[in-house]
């Protein structure tokens, strides 16, 4: 077979597949908010998340993790305080008429 010809059935595909769009999650919104704060939002919009350097994605990931942890701590404190209040009020004697 001459050089540069293809064997029958060996076709190359030029189809471009696109990722399915998924609904935006609260974590996605927070990630974009952090990218904006770091001045990376335009880059993300132009080249996507995959176009960021390892340092840039590491910075975003680190701040994202920190915020999620802080948020979790805050909710835990509210839940503990709320449950303590509920326990205290349930242990109280009923009002006397």
């Amino acid at each position: 077979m001459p050089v540069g010809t293809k064997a029958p059935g060996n076709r190359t595909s030029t189809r471009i597949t696109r990722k399915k769009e998924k609904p935006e999650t609260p974590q996605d919104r927070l990630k974009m908010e952090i990218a904006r704060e770091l001045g990376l939002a335009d880059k993300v919009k132009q080249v996507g998340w995959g176009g960021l350097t390892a340092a840039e994605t590491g910075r975003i990931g680190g701040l994202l993790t920190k915020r999620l942890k802080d948020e979790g701590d805050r909710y835990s404190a509210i839940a503990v305080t709320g449950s303590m209040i509920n326990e205290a009020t349930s242990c109280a004697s009923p009002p006397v008429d």
Side-chain angles (χ1 to χ4, degrees), residues 29-60:
R29 286 190 287 277
L30 181 58
K31 186 165 64 168
M32 184 53 93
E33 180 183 319
I34 292 169
R36 262 189 235 101
E37 291 171 8
L38 296 175
L40 297 170
D42 290 336
K43 185 174 181 179
V44 169
K45 288 177 185 172
Q46 289 174 357
V47 297
W49 294 105
L52 298 178
T53 66
E56 292 166 338
T57 46
R59 184 73 176 139
I60 292 171

Side-chain angles (χ1 to χ4, degrees), residues 66-83:
K66 182 179 187 295
R67 289 199 191 166
L68 290 173
K69 181 184 177 303
D70 291 346
E71 196 172 290
D73 290 345
R74 183 175 41 225
Y75 287 128
S76 294
I78 291 170
V80 168
T81 305
S83 67

